[in-house]
């Protein structure tokens, strides 16, 4: 949702300002923003995994690393039936790169799509085009979550509606979200999703509407946030975590999976907390010296 909102906003502002979109410059900015850090973490993960992991896991490590480095891991993990529900004792330390692959694929086609709509000359065509893609993607997501859940989970066509809704938020006046009840309802939606959704939840499908719409309304109602929301989001710790959020995402899975694989058992709560602390430290160092 946030990516769809931010990236579409950047594209539209450049088109409004210059009358067009410099596609090579757009792709260069995305590559410089995402690729160095993801490649660094991938190389570190590969070296550590090769040294520490049992040979039975290393056998599949090479193909997983290639898939992650080429930003096609979402489709290959689906093809290999390598999902979070079937990880058992041999999880891939780079399976979380699937969502980065989805975003990269989105960044590849979305600016061309928006630019083509903008060439038609009226803002209504952009809104209609995004709405059509979003609606079709949502319907396909609901259908495929029922018929082929692993492909629905990993695929861009079944995830595009989440990004599309974030993009559509740009065209909705903020005056529609002045009620002070909206932020609380949005927060409640995210909280319920976080607590109630588990490995048995058919996702994304229609159940993804709750966290997606909750995120959407939380962004839209930011001017009506209660003081406690602003205090939580604007303090130094939250701002710091926001600044290191990308390497935090890249490090979190290998930092939790590799120690568990080496130990040959699930981690206890103390060990998990230690791994989370290591994730934060690695993310901070990566943000400072690489990102």
């Amino acid at each position: 949702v946030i990516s769809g909102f931010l990236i579409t906003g950047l594209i539209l502002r450049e088109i409004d300002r210059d009358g067009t979109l410099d596609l090579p410059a757009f792709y260069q900015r995305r590559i410089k923003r995402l690729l160095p850090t993801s490649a660094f973490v991938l190389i570190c993960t590969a070296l550590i995994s090769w040294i520490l992991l049992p040979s039975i896991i290393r056998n599949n490590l090479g193909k997983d690393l290639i898939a992650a480095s080429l930003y096609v891991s979402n489709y290959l993990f689906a093809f290999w039936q390598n999902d979070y529900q079937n990880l058992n004792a041999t999880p891939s330390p780079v399976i979380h790169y699937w969502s980065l692959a989805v975003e990269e694929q989105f960044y590849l086609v979305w600016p061309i799509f928006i630019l083509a709509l903008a060439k038609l000359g009226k803002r209504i065509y952009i809104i209609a085009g995004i709405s059509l893609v979003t609606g079709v993607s949502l319907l396909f997501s609901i259908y495929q979550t029922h018929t082929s859940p692993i492909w629905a989970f990993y695929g861009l066509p079944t995830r595009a509606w989440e990004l599309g809704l974030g993009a559509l938020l740009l065209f909705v006046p903020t005056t529609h979200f002045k009620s002070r009840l909206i932020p609380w309802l949005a927060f409640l939606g995210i909280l319920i999703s976080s607590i109630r959704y588990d490995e048995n939840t058919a996702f994304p499908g229609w159940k993804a509407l709750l966290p997606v719409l909750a995120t959407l309304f939380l962004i839209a109602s930011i001017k009506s946030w209660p003081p406690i929301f602003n205090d939580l989001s604007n303090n130094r710790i939250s701002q710091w975590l926001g600044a290191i959020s990308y390497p935090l995402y890249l490090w979190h899975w290998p930092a939790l999976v590799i120690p568990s694989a080496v130990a040959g058992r699930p981690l206890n709560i103390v060990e998990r907390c230690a791994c989370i602390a290591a994730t934060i430290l690695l993310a901070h160092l990566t943000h400072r010296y690489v990102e």
Side-chain angles (χ1 to χ4, degrees), residues 111-132:
I112 299 173
F113 176 64
I114 298 296
L115 182 59
L117 293 173
K119 292 292 185 182
L120 298 176
K122 293 184 179 180
R123 185 57 61 100
I124 189 63
Y125 293 134
I126 301 177
I127 299 173
I130 296 175
S131 299
L132 179 62

Side-chain angles (χ1 to χ4, degrees), residues 141-279:
S141 178
I142 294 171
Y143 168 76
Q144 197 169 47
T145 299
H146 177 71
T147 60
S148 184
I150 192 169
W151 287 96
F153 186 88
Y154 282 123
L156 175 62
T158 47
R159 292 288 189 166
W161 68 272
E162 302 169 15
L163 296 144
L165 279 176
L168 286 173
L169 183 59
L170 291 160
F171 305 98
V172 182
T174 56
T175 53
H176 289 65
F177 303 97
K178 284 187 174 181
S179 172
R180 295 192 177 274
L181 186 62
I182 292 176
W184 286 107
L185 291 174
F187 173 75
L188 185 63
I190 293 175
L191 190 65
I192 291 172
S193 305
S194 302
I195 294 172
R196 297 290 298 175
Y197 287 12
D198 58 22
E199 66 273 11
N200 297 314
T201 302
F203 200 89
W206 67 268
K207 289 188 177 180
L209 280 167
L210 179 58
V212 167
L213 291 176
T215 304
L216 195 75
F217 283 112
L218 200 59
I219 297 170
S221 63
I222 193 167
K223 292 183 179 179
S224 302
W225 279 11
I228 189 173
F229 282 22
N230 287 309
D231 292 341
L232 286 172
S233 61
N234 291 323
N235 66 72
R236 292 180 63 184
I237 295 176
S238 295
Q239 292 289 308
W240 170 63
L241 288 172
I244 66 170
S245 60
Y246 180 47
L248 197 66
Y249 149 77
L250 294 172
W251 279 115
H252 88 278
W253 187 250
L256 286 165
V257 165
I258 294 175
S260 177
V262 171
R265 56 171 175 80
L267 301 178
N268 60 43
I269 188 65
V270 174
E271 291 167 335
R272 291 186 187 191
C273 288
C275 289
I276 291 171
T279 301

Side-chain angles (χ1 to χ4, degrees), residues 26 58-59 68 84 93 97 108 117 123 140 202 226 256 285 289:
F26 173 85
R58 291 205 308 263
N59 289 336
Y84 289 91
Y97 269 66
L108 185 65
L117 293 173
R123 185 57 61 100
F140 186 50
L256 286 165
L285 295 173
Y289 295 108

